[in-house]
Amino acid sequence: MYASSTAAMVRLTTYADAREALRHRELREATHDEALFLLDNTVLVLHGDAHTRRRRVENRAFRRDILGHFERDQLADIFQETVGPFIEQSEGNLVEIAHRLVMNLSATVAGVDRPLRTPAETDRLYEFLKHLSEGATIIDSTRDKDEVRTEVLDALDAFKREFYSASEARRRALIADFHAGTIGEEQLPRDVLTTLLRYQTELGVPDDLLPREVGLYLVGAHTAANQITHLVHELLTWMQQTGDKTRVAAKDLRFVQRCMLESVRLNPPAPSLLRAAPDAEVVLRTGRSIPANALVDVDLASANRDPSVFGNDASEFNPRREVSPEVYPWGLSFGAGTHVCIGQEMAAGQPMDEDVAPEVHLYGAVPRLVYMLFEHGLTPHPERPPVAAGHTRRREWGEYPVAFAR
Ligand code: HEM
């Protein structure tokens, strides 16, 4: 038995309490309770052994060799295909550019085929992404929630018809060929959908869950896309403040990765993550008590600015910040514990302190894409200022006009 919506609320604002709560096995994921109409039974909301089993299978699509292939061999093509038209027009809305970019990448990891690879096809997938993301983050929506739910379920049906069904059928046929011995394992796509289909019976995954689970990975793209815009904004502001007129900061990929970790700390994907307590009290190491059946508000925004961990300038963007080795430089923006973000290394790369050669180091899709945007002369738009998003309480940009100098 776990907390209901009328339960007492405990707010955790220090880094130590917040991290421990996210890692605590007794506390159940509850941020998405309002989004169960879309996310029920997906990896994001599963608990205990069922979560461990599903996660273990899906982790296979995020192995470092696969991520290295995406970063080094596929990202530049996706960039050209997606950003090329905006560079030709010399301007665009970064929010839209970022979503298109990361969506095409996430579609590949998730296992959603884009057979035509046309701008119209990307537009259509982008429409679904927006609806699915709005459904997953309905807890923070400022719109009429019944209206949102209806739109999201309609979009899910259309997504199944227009993208998902053909993607599933193609993978099922390939898996059958593999079992018949006519193709080798290396000819199977290395994505979440293929992995799930291969282990569907073992995991007991019903057919109707598959498109929603795959859709969840597109929602991950929404989070990563927002981080592209946040990182560009933080970098532009920082370069202006430090008088970096030749934009040296954006020409060093390793430094851009460092900037991303700092930017994601200051701009967590949601103000809070929720956890639900069981029907017994939970006491954290600091002595903080969480009463039976309480809801826990893990306040990411506060924990990530905890001065006892990040220093007195914790609210400022400082990519040269040093933190103790036990502390995540990105704060708790990727979560912690069993539900820690599966796409973290894909989006943000591997930890900076791992001793690997620069040519094999994973820098992450967000730093690499931002680096490429600056390489193409990205500057703030000379006439149109950025505007915050109006449909959500989350810290998101609605429009971020940029220009391309070459
Ligand atoms: C910078 C970008 C990203 C940020 C800040 C981020 C943040 C997070 C956070 C905070 C969680 C934990 C939620 C919780 O504990 O309640 C999470 C989980 C998750 N993320 Fe991400 N994410 C990002 C990118 C991505 C990408 C690119 C993907 C997919 C390709 C992805 C897929 C997922 C999935 C599937 C989970 C659920 C994992 C589980 O419950 O076991 N994320 N993410």
Side-chain angles (χ1 to χ4, degrees):
M1 284 284 291
Y2 277 94
S4 70
S5 55
T6 54
M9 178 76 94
V10 175
R11 187 162 156 249
L12 302 179
T13 53
T14 65
Y15 180 84
D17 279 345
R19 182 165 183 260
E20 190 182 346
L22 292 178
R23 292 162 61 94
H24 208 292
R25 292 196 159 261
E26 295 289 318
L27 300 175
R28 172 184 69 77
E29 194 285 329
T31 321
H32 299 93
D33 284 4
E34 256 192 80
L36 290 180
F37 73 99
L38 176 67
L39 297 176
D40 192 25
N41 202 4
T42 62
V43 68
L44 185 60
V45 302
L46 284 179
H47 189 56
D49 290 346
H51 174 263
T52 309
R53 278 197 304 277
R54 180 86 57 79
R55 177 74 191 234
R56 214 173 266 158
V57 165
E58 296 185 5
N59 275 343
R60 291 165 193 236
F62 292 86
R63 287 198 332 244
R64 282 193 175 167
D65 57 326
I66 299 177
L67 298 183
H69 171 63
F70 280 142
E71 265 200 26
R72 288 186 284 273
D73 309 328
Q74 291 189 309
L75 214 51
D77 286 348
I78 291 182
F79 184 90
Q80 274 315 326
E81 188 186 319
T82 316
V83 192
F86 294 98
I87 293 173
E88 254 164 56
Q89 293 164 24
S90 306
E91 61 174 31
N93 172 9
L94 182 59
V95 175
E96 187 186 336
I97 297 173
H99 273 86
R100 284 165 192 266
L101 267 172
V102 187
M103 183 190 70
N104 284 340
L105 190 70
S106 293
T108 312
V109 185
V112 178
D113 291 336
R114 295 180 300 123
L116 307 176
R117 297 188 88 91
T118 56
E121 187 186 58
T122 301
D123 282 350
R124 194 69 185 132
L125 196 53
Y126 183 44
E127 282 302 306
F128 295 133
L129 165 76
K130 282 196 282 193
H131 284 302
L132 296 179
S133 303
E134 204 174 347
T137 59
I138 194 165
I139 187 173
D140 289 317
S141 177
T142 49
R143 293 183 52 209
D144 179 311
K145 294 195 178 178
D146 284 333
E147 216 171 89
V148 173
R149 272 186 282 270
T150 308
E151 282 174 16
V152 170
L153 292 176
D154 287 349
L156 179 66
D157 277 343
F159 167 68
K160 284 188 222 168
R161 278 195 311 275
E162 294 176 38
F163 286 91
Y164 177 78
S165 299
S167 304
E168 182 191 307
R170 187 172 81 81
R171 283 163 181 74
R172 283 201 190 277
L174 284 169
I175 293 169
D177 288 347
F178 167 62
H179 287 310
T182 50
I183 63 167
E185 190 164 19
E186 70 293 347
Q187 284 164 281
L188 292 178
R190 298 189 293 178
D191 51 45
V192 174
L193 180 54
T194 306
T195 315
L196 269 179
L197 290 170
R198 282 182 73 182
Y199 295 92
Q200 187 179 4
T201 316
E202 212 173 307
L203 286 173
V205 168
D207 283 345
D208 82 293
L209 170 65
L210 291 164
R212 291 185 292 110
E213 186 86 349
V214 165
L216 171 65
Y217 282 86
L218 293 182
V219 173
H222 175 71
T223 321
N226 287 335
Q227 291 302 333
I228 290 185
T229 314
H230 286 311
L231 174 54
V232 166
H233 180 73
E234 298 288 2
L235 254 172
L236 285 171
T237 312
W238 190 76
M239 291 190 296
Q240 198 184 24
Q241 282 165 359
T242 54
D244 182 1
K245 289 205 177 69
T246 51
R247 313 200 309 164
V248 174
K251 290 176 187 149
D252 175 353
L253 184 51
R254 205 171 162 75
F255 189 69
V256 176
Q257 188 189 7
R258 216 171 220 280
C259 289
M260 172 183 179
L261 302 182
E262 178 72 347
S263 168
V264 82
R265 179 181 72 81
L266 291 175
N267 300 284
S272 293
L273 295 175
L274 297 183
R275 292 296 187 259
D279 53 8
E281 183 196 21
V282 170
V283 181
L284 301 180
R285 274 194 290 263
T286 53
R288 185 72 192 262
S289 156
I290 298 169
N293 300 316
L295 259 185
V296 186
D297 173 347
V298 183
D299 183 337
L300 298 183
S302 301
N304 283 0
R305 292 165 188 238
D306 182 341
S308 70
V309 173
F310 296 103
N312 287 334
D313 67 343
S315 297
E316 282 163 32
F317 178 79
N318 173 9
R320 302 208 171 94
R321 180 182 308 283
E322 298 287 341
V323 291
S324 108
E326 306 88 67
V327 171
Y328 304 137
W330 52 88
L332 297 169
S333 286
F334 287 103
T338 53
H339 285 284
V340 69
C341 179
I342 200 168
Q344 175 172 354
E345 290 205 341
M346 177 184 153
Q350 70 194 92
M352 307 276 308
D353 52 8
E354 284 188 15
D355 188 18
V356 286
E359 58 286 5
V360 290
H361 179 85
L362 294 175
Y363 294 93
V366 171
R368 278 200 190 257
L369 293 169
V370 167
Y371 177 85
M372 289 185 222
L373 286 164
F374 276 100
E375 261 188 331
H376 286 83
L378 179 145
T379 56
H381 197 280
E383 285 136 34
R384 298 191 345 250
V387 185
H391 68 287
T392 176
R393 282 189 289 266
R394 294 185 180 212
R395 204 174 135 93
E396 289 183 17
W397 293 103
E399 212 192 320
Y400 202 104
V402 292
F404 293 100
R406 35 189 151 97

